[in-house]
Amino acid sequence: MSDYDSIESLQEQGLIDTKKVATIKIWLVMFFHTCICAVLLSDIFAIWLDKQVHLDALQIGEILAMKGLVAVCYKPLFGWLLDKNQLRPYVMYSLAILGLAAGPFFQYVYEPLLLTHNPTLFYVAGLIGGIYFGYVVIAGAAAAWAYCGRYIIAHNGTEDKVSSANLAGWLVMGSAMTIVYTFSPLFGFYLASFAAVLMIITLWSLKLKPFNNLETRGTSKQKLKMADFKYLFLNIRFYVLILFALGIWVACFSQFAQLGRYGLSFWSDHLQKFALRFGTFLGVPVHVLVVILMLRASGPIKKLNPSRSLIACSFGFVVCFILFGVSAKMHNVMGPDHYIPSLVLSIITRQLIIFVNPLVPLVALTYVNMSFNKKIVSSAFLIGFQFVSTLGASFGAIGEGYMFKTQGWDGAYFELAGYVFVAAIVLAFIMRFVSIYEKKRVMSHVIGESNRES
């Protein structure tokens, strides 16, 4: 009996969960961790920094950059730990336990430091926030994607369920956070602490011990070795992923923190609380539709090919950025007395980007799982995609904050659209070259083997 056959035997004995039960459990783990992320990384966070702490766009960009710069230090470590421990949930438990402190951290540490408006304490708050947010949320989100993806593949599931849970978490907690913010901005951050409690309970229910000695689609009985990392860093596909993350995803990801402020710019000050609630309720059916579509997204991604899917996502962002720029331009030209057309277009575009954004990490994870040895997939995902994108976004947040401040929303979004379009074209040619190179290498190996046999 092979290890793959013994999985079914262990499931019949109740020693490990069935595919359906395992999918539900890991869906909940990802959901609850995303709820923590949705509190600490949502549009509300930038709005809170703007309206409650009174920071400008550049200062907000600096705060976001400091979080990302610290987070990059964790990601290679998380990748190594996840590959070393495979399904042992040590990293996930640490994320949940530290997530319990989210509410008190905001109330008693982060907010008091920022409200001093002291330049030194501003950077102290940025550093402390980076240490905390970087571990729990920014690097933690990448670790959760990698761990949950490995877990569900080991149970013969597909990565799209992880993406669905991620999007559902953003929908539920993002909506709740928006509503709670209009009543008590600080209380909303305690929602992350509550989500952490539920995450711990779900992690405790996972049946994982038998996988320590099983060879599955997601786990290996062989120990991780330095040779595996050598293979990773010599694989040309690893650098294709880095180029996408650094060249395209950074530009797309960095603007999300300011997107809430962009949406509010179409409303007068006395209507902005209504705007938050209106945007939340309007986005609910769209998010629900995308959550449902994500449950079956792996099939089309694999059929199209993950490389081509990355390029398709890039062009999706180009369209959204152009429409964001057109909306802002219309708003500037028409003035406050004729703002409805620009407002409607901005709202439609914000719903459109909901379809594009969740696909990127799912496509990247699928790309990694199809391109690298299962022993090293977490490191490939966290270093090749998450590490470089977070590092780039740390500087991108400052750059784009400066663009939004000096060029306005319209000029900044038009420039981003042009950059992503050119970068996507260049990357498509590189991917084509890599594909041709790999085919020639395989054919030369086959011919060599044939000649030796003859």
Side-chain angles (χ1 to χ4, degrees), residues 175-252:
S175 302
M177 196 53 187
T178 302
I179 295 170
V180 171
Y181 176 84
T182 61
F183 297 101
S184 175
L186 194 59
F187 178 75
F189 296 114
Y190 277 90
L191 293 175
S193 299
F194 177 69
V197 173
L198 300 178
M199 181 179 171
I200 291 172
I201 294 172
T202 310
L203 284 170
W204 179 77
S205 72
L206 301 182
K207 297 180 179 179
L208 300 170
K209 190 174 181 180
F211 284 98
N212 296 341
N213 300 307
L214 285 178
E215 188 80 21
T216 72
R217 291 174 57 224
T219 60
S220 174
K221 292 189 290 187
Q222 299 178 11
K223 292 183 178 180
L224 188 65
K225 300 177 181 178
M226 289 303 299
D228 297 313
F229 286 97
K230 180 181 178 181
Y231 160 78
L232 175 65
F233 290 114
L234 290 177
N235 192 325
I236 193 170
R237 286 182 170 269
F238 179 68
Y239 297 97
V240 170
L241 185 62
I242 288 177
L243 283 174
F244 171 80
L246 199 57
I248 296 175
W249 179 234
V250 164
C252 301

Side-chain angles (χ1 to χ4, degrees), residues 117-156:
H117 294 286
N118 179 294
T120 301
L121 293 180
F122 172 84
Y123 289 105
V124 170
L127 178 61
I128 295 174
I131 293 171
Y132 180 75
F133 296 131
Y135 192 98
V136 178
V137 178
I138 303 177
W145 268 92
Y147 178 84
C148 294
R150 186 192 291 270
Y151 178 96
I152 202 165
I153 289 173
H155 287 83
N156 295 323

Side-chain angles (χ1 to χ4, degrees), residues 240 243-244 248 310-311 314 422-432:
V240 170
L243 283 174
F244 171 80
I248 296 175
L310 288 173
I311 299 299
S314 303
V422 173
I425 295 294
V426 172
L427 186 62
F429 278 107
I430 292 174
M431 286 179 171
R432 179 61 179 166

Side-chain angles (χ1 to χ4, degrees), residues 236 427-440:
I236 193 170
L427 186 62
F429 278 107
I430 292 174
M431 286 179 171
R432 179 61 179 166
F433 169 78
V434 169
S435 178
I436 294 172
Y437 167 77
E438 288 184 334
K439 286 180 180 177
K440 287 183 177 179

Side-chain angles (χ1 to χ4, degrees), residues 392-443:
S394 300
F395 297 99
I398 298 176
E400 291 185 16
Y402 180 79
M403 288 168 60
F404 290 133
K405 183 178 180 179
T406 58
Q407 300 179 32
W409 298 111
D410 53 344
Y413 273 117
F414 283 139
E415 189 171 324
L416 285 173
Y419 167 77
V420 174
F421 178 80
V422 173
I425 295 294
V426 172
L427 186 62
F429 278 107
I430 292 174
M431 286 179 171
R432 179 61 179 166
F433 169 78
V434 169
S435 178
I436 294 172
Y437 167 77
E438 288 184 334
K439 286 180 180 177
K440 287 183 177 179
R441 189 178 63 174
V442 171
M443 288 303 299

Side-chain angles (χ1 to χ4, degrees), residues 256-418:
F256 273 100
Q258 305 268 13
L259 198 53
R261 296 180 61 248
Y262 165 85
L264 290 182
S265 68
F266 291 86
W267 300 80
S268 56
D269 290 341
H270 71 283
L271 289 175
Q272 289 191 355
K273 285 191 175 182
F274 167 78
L276 286 172
R277 297 174 189 171
F278 175 76
T280 298
F281 289 120
L282 187 64
V284 168
V286 178
H287 275 86
V288 170
L289 175 60
V290 178
V291 168
I292 294 172
L293 292 175
M294 281 294 156
L295 291 172
R296 293 291 183 270
S298 283
I301 289 171
K302 291 174 181 177
K303 186 175 181 179
L304 178 62
N305 185 294
S307 298
R308 295 193 187 107
S309 298
L310 288 173
I311 299 299
C313 290
S314 303
F315 287 122
F317 279 112
V318 170
V319 173
C320 291
F321 291 166
I322 290 173
L323 293 177
F324 279 139
V326 170
S327 302
K329 191 69 175 180
M330 289 171 59
H331 186 71
N332 294 338
V333 172
M334 294 181 175
D337 296 329
H338 302 86
Y339 69 93
I340 297 298
S342 61
L343 173 63
V344 171
L345 181 58
S346 71
I347 291 173
I348 292 173
T349 309
R350 289 196 67 184
Q351 308 315 306
L352 178 62
I353 207 169
I354 294 172
F355 286 87
V356 182
N357 182 50
L359 283 170
V360 177
L362 173 60
V363 174
L365 187 61
T366 305
Y367 178 93
V368 165
N369 285 327
M370 293 181 67
S371 302
F372 304 100
N373 187 293
K374 59 188 173 185
K375 288 198 296 179
I376 206 75
V377 291
S378 295
S379 294
F381 182 67
L382 269 85
I383 298 175
F385 178 70
Q386 293 286 351
F387 173 83
V388 296
S389 60
T390 302
L391 182 62
S394 300
F395 297 99
I398 298 176
E400 291 185 16
Y402 180 79
M403 288 168 60
F404 290 133
K405 183 178 180 179
T406 58
Q407 300 179 32
W409 298 111
D410 53 344
Y413 273 117
F414 283 139
E415 189 171 324
L416 285 173

